Amino acid sequence: MPEPDDTLSTPTGLPDVDTVVTYPQGATSSAGRVLHVEDLGDGRSAVLLDVTCVHPVTAAWPDQPADRAVLEAAGTAFPVVDAVVGGIQDGRLLLGSDLPVRIGTEGWVFVVVHIVEGAGPAAGTAVRAIVDADHRAALSAGHTVCHLASLALNAALAGAWSKDVLPDALANPNFDALAIETSRIHPGGSVDVYRIGKSLRRKGFVATALDDLDGVASHTNMLLAEWVAAGAAVRIEREGDGLSSRRAWVCELPAATVHIPCGGTHASHLGEFSSVTVALEARDVEGAREITMTTTGRPAR
C-alpha cells in the first residue's frame, strides 16, 4: 500500500461525493486523507476520509457489524470505536439511525463515518486505515454462509407455496426475502429469524411445510454439503468505487452462477470451508410462528 502523501491534495470539509471504499476488493489497509471531523458531543468525533478500507454498519439493515480498525496519522493511533454509514444533505451530516433515507437515495452523499474517542486527526491529515484482518475474514465467512444458507433453505421449501411469488437467484420461491425479520452475521456464521404469520400465508406459503423442521434442516444441509464440496468461486461485482455504488455477491454454484445484491464482505471461494450447516428452531410469538436459523461455517484446515 502506498504511503499517505503529507501534502494536501484533497479539499477538506463535508464532501460532495461518496467515500471511495476498498473493502469490496478485500482490502484491509488503505491510504487516505481526513476531509472532515465533527464533534459528536459525547466525547467522540466523526472522522470522514476520502478513501477507506473500513466496512461500516448500516442502520437500515445492520446484518454485518463494522470492522475493527485503527486510523494512523502523524505517528498517532486513533482506534475506531465504531464505523457507520452517514449521509450528507444541505450541509448536514446525519449518521446511523438518524439517517432518514436508505443508502443510494438520490440527492444525498453517502460516507463512511469513523467514530473515534476525543478530537481525532485534524482535517487535511494523511491517514492510514488498518483493519483487523482476522476479524474481517471471520465476518466475511459468516456473510458468505448466510447467503448460502438462505438459498438452500429457499430450495428446501420450494414446494411449500400455493401461489407464484418473488423468485431468488436460483429461481426458487424466495422464502428468505419474504419472511425475514432479522439477520445478524457473526464470525463464522449467522442467525436469521423468520416470521410465519398471516401476511406470509396470504402470499401462498403453506405453513405446515415447517412442521417437520428436522426434515427441512436435513434437506438444507444436504444442498449446502453439495455446494461446499464443489468449492465454488465467490466474487464481488461492483458498478463503482463509491460507498453507494451497487454491488453484488456472485457465487458459481454447480447448477448456476448466482447474483445477490450485497454491500458486505465475503470469502473468496467455498473451499475455505470444511462444512456449512444450519439448525432450525421454532417458537410461537404474538400469534405467529418464528423460525430461527443458525448457520455455522467451519473453516477448512
Side-chain angles (χ1 to χ4, degrees), residues 4 16 29 34 85 106-107 110 125 140 151 159 183 195 230 250 262 282:
D16 57 7
S29 62
V34 179
V85 171
E106 188 174 353
F110 294 93
T125 304
S140 297
L151 290 169
S183 180
R195 181 179 176 85
V250 183
C262 181

Side-chain angles (χ1 to χ4, degrees), residues 169-186:
L170 285 174
N172 291 311
N174 202 336
F175 171 84
D176 175 81
L178 293 169
I180 192 74
E181 281 284 292
T182 62
S183 180
R184 294 294 183 270
I185 293 158
H186 57 79

Side-chain angles (χ1 to χ4, degrees), residues 15-294:
D16 57 7
V17 294
D18 286 3
T19 306
V20 172
V21 292
T22 60
Y23 57 79
Q25 303 97 289
T28 55
S29 62
S30 59
R33 187 170 299 281
V34 179
L35 297 180
H36 179 76
V37 181
E38 189 162 313
D39 184 357
L40 296 178
D42 59 356
R44 296 179 172 183
S45 296
V47 180
L48 309 186
L49 307 178
D50 56 353
V51 179
T52 188
C53 63
V54 180
H55 176 275
V57 66
T58 304
W61 189 249
D63 55 346
Q64 181 171 339
D67 280 332
R68 296 173 181 169
V70 64
L71 305 181
E72 294 184 349
T76 301
F78 299 87
V80 177
V81 297
D82 201 1
V84 301
V85 171
I88 298 169
Q89 188 185 59
D90 298 329
R92 295 180 61 215
L93 171 65
L94 300 175
L95 55 146
S97 58
D98 291 335
L99 185 59
V101 296
R102 288 186 175 273
I103 190 169
T105 300
E106 188 174 353
W108 288 75
V109 172
F110 294 93
V111 292
V112 176
V113 181
H114 310 78
I115 299 177
V116 301
E117 300 284 0
T125 304
V127 168
R128 174 183 286 107
I130 301 172
V131 165
D132 181 330
D134 290 340
H135 188 246
R136 160 77 70 77
L139 289 177
S140 297
H143 207 149
T144 293
V145 302
C146 181
H147 284 333
L148 282 180
S150 70
L151 290 169
L153 180 63
N154 288 346
L157 293 173
W161 297 85
S162 62
K163 301 177 183 178
D164 291 334
V165 293
L166 173 79
D168 70 7
L170 285 174
N172 291 311
N174 202 336
F175 171 84
D176 175 81
L178 293 169
I180 192 74
E181 281 284 292
T182 62
S183 180
R184 294 294 183 270
I185 293 158
H186 57 79
S190 63
V191 177
D192 295 273
V193 178
Y194 302 99
R195 181 179 176 85
I196 317 302
K198 292 181 181 178
S199 176
L200 193 68
R201 290 194 291 270
R202 282 197 296 268
K203 290 181 173 69
F205 184 72
V206 181
T208 54
L210 288 167
D211 288 348
D212 181 13
L213 273 188
D214 288 342
V216 174
S218 178
H219 189 172
T220 303
N221 285 327
M222 177 191 69
L223 291 171
L224 289 169
E226 291 176 1
W227 295 344
V228 169
V234 174
R235 66 181 183 274
I236 299 296
E237 291 184 352
R238 61 192 191 280
E239 295 182 357
D241 294 328
L243 177 59
S244 65
S245 297
R246 292 184 180 179
R247 296 186 289 277
W249 176 79
V250 183
C251 184
E252 298 174 4
L253 294 177
T257 297
V258 297
H259 296 70
I260 295 177
C262 181
T265 65
H266 287 280
S268 60
H269 58 88
L270 300 190
E272 294 184 22
F273 304 99
S274 63
S275 67
V276 178
T277 57
V278 304
L280 300 177
E281 182 180 354
R283 65 173 186 150
D284 294 327
V285 180
E286 297 177 356
R289 199 176 188 200
E290 193 174 85
I291 305 295
T292 298
M293 179 170 70
T294 302

